[in-house]
Amino acid sequence: AQTVTQSQPEMSVQEAETVTLSCTYDTSESDYYLFWYKQPPSRQMILVIRQEAYKQQNATENRFSVNFQKAAKSFSLKISDSQLGDAAMYFCAYRTTWSFGNEKLTFGTGTRLTIIP
Amino acid sequence: DVKVTQSSRYLVKRTGEKVFLECVQDMDHENMFWYRQDPGLGLRLIYFSYDVKMKEKGDIPEGYSVSREKKERFSLILESASTNQTSMYLCASSLQGSLAKNIQYFGAGTRLSVL
């Protein structure tokens, strides 16, 4: 079974600075998807960024980027120019490559990010 | 925009009560999921469904059942609520298929307290 580990329960960063959230995972599969989800105080989980394991290029979405190290099974999230609206719980998630009826996500325990004005 | 609606934001029930948590999605998604979120444990999958009347157990199905009679609606049932089922419950839905675009969309969650 796959496992996802987020070793930082809490992080804080000064507004406008850069912060990196860590995620490691364990799998025997060679093809899979990785995700970062954000859960703000409103509780609505929102997808931040996703990465397909067969793509070597790291995914980026505006101020959000990942450092995907497949051999090390590491998938960290970098947030540049942090803004107050980035304050949230961040979850790393793993999904196996598609097979019918098997599209569930495995989540890490989350990292609570605080933005200091 | 995809909308996943959970019927209650907050719910307080008594031990032994039968509890229904309802979830409706408006984007014709084949897959629907129920997760439980607890501090320090992240999200854990209770049940999921990939078609009407189809269900699969997740990682923590004990004490729960589900119902999917219509494509857009997925209900989580606590047959006899217990205090250890006090938690946040999140519903999600997604398209079926191999594209990475079939991401999961979440509802706002139901915070259930069992007294």
Side-chain angles (χ1 to χ4, degrees):
Chain A
Q2 295 81 22
T3 58
V4 178
T5 302
Q6 293 180 250
S7 58
Q8 307 153 314
E10 296 183 349
M11 293 277 287
S12 61
V13 64
Q14 207 80 31
E15 194 176 1
E17 296 294 309
T18 296
V19 64
T20 299
L21 309 183
S22 301
C23 172
T24 58
Y25 57 94
D26 189 26
T27 184
S28 58
E29 298 173 336
S30 59
D31 197 15
Y32 45 86
Y33 302 122
L34 296 164
F35 305 84
W36 278 99
Y37 276 88
K38 168 185 176 181
Q39 186 181 41
S42 67
R43 304 188 331 212
Q44 190 91 40
M45 292 271 281
I46 306 162
L47 179 69
V48 175
I49 199 165
R50 60 179 177 261
Q51 175 83 40
E52 292 118 310
Y54 64 87
K55 289 188 177 179
Q56 294 191 353
Q57 187 172 7
N58 289 326
T60 61
E61 288 285 344
N62 301 313
R63 297 182 296 108
F64 298 87
S65 62
V66 298
N67 183 5
F68 173 49
Q69 302 287 329
K70 191 173 183 180
K73 296 179 183 175
S74 171
F75 182 61
S76 60
L77 175 69
K78 186 171 85 170
I79 306 174
S80 304
D81 185 26
S82 298
Q83 301 175 0
L84 294 177
D86 296 333
M89 195 77 164
Y90 286 81
F91 290 97
C92 179
Y94 172 103
R95 208 201 81 190
T96 188
T97 192
W98 183 77
S99 61
F100 183 73
N102 186 22
E103 296 177 64
K104 61 181 182 178
L105 291 173
T106 300
F107 285 87
T109 52
T111 297
R112 183 171 301 282
L113 179 65
T114 301
I115 310 297
I116 303 166
Chain B
D1 278 352
V2 175
K3 196 163 185 183
V4 179
T5 304
Q6 294 183 232
S7 54
S8 305
R9 290 272 287 179
Y10 300 93
L11 213 50
V12 180
K13 296 293 181 180
R14 296 285 180 189
T15 302
E17 276 193 78
K18 190 169 185 175
V19 181
F20 292 86
L21 301 184
E22 306 286 347
C23 177
V24 177
Q25 50 94 4
D26 66 356
M27 283 301 291
D28 204 34
H29 285 174
E30 294 89 353
N31 298 326
M32 295 189 76
F33 306 83
W34 274 107
Y35 293 92
R36 172 176 170 157
Q37 182 179 0
D38 298 290
L41 296 177
L43 278 74
R44 294 176 292 167
L45 182 66
I46 304 172
Y47 268 98
F48 67 101
S49 169
Y50 52 89
D51 201 352
V52 174
K53 297 191 187 294
M54 304 301 290
K55 61 184 179 184
E56 291 286 338
K57 292 181 180 179
D59 300 316
I60 52 164
E62 296 78 20
Y64 303 94
S65 62
V66 291
S67 172
R68 193 164 180 205
E69 297 296 320
K70 293 185 178 181
K71 190 175 186 180
E72 67 271 18
R73 186 180 297 270
F74 192 35
S75 303
L76 180 69
I77 304 157
L78 288 66
E79 294 289 342
S80 178
S82 63
T83 55
N84 63 13
Q85 292 177 310
T86 291
S87 187
M88 172 81 79
Y89 291 88
L90 294 173
C91 175
S93 72
S94 72
L95 284 170
Q96 212 163 72
S98 61
L99 295 174
K101 286 186 178 179
N102 58 343
I103 62 173
Q104 289 190 19
Y105 294 88
F106 285 81
T110 295
R111 190 174 294 282
L112 172 67
S113 295
V114 182
L115 306 178

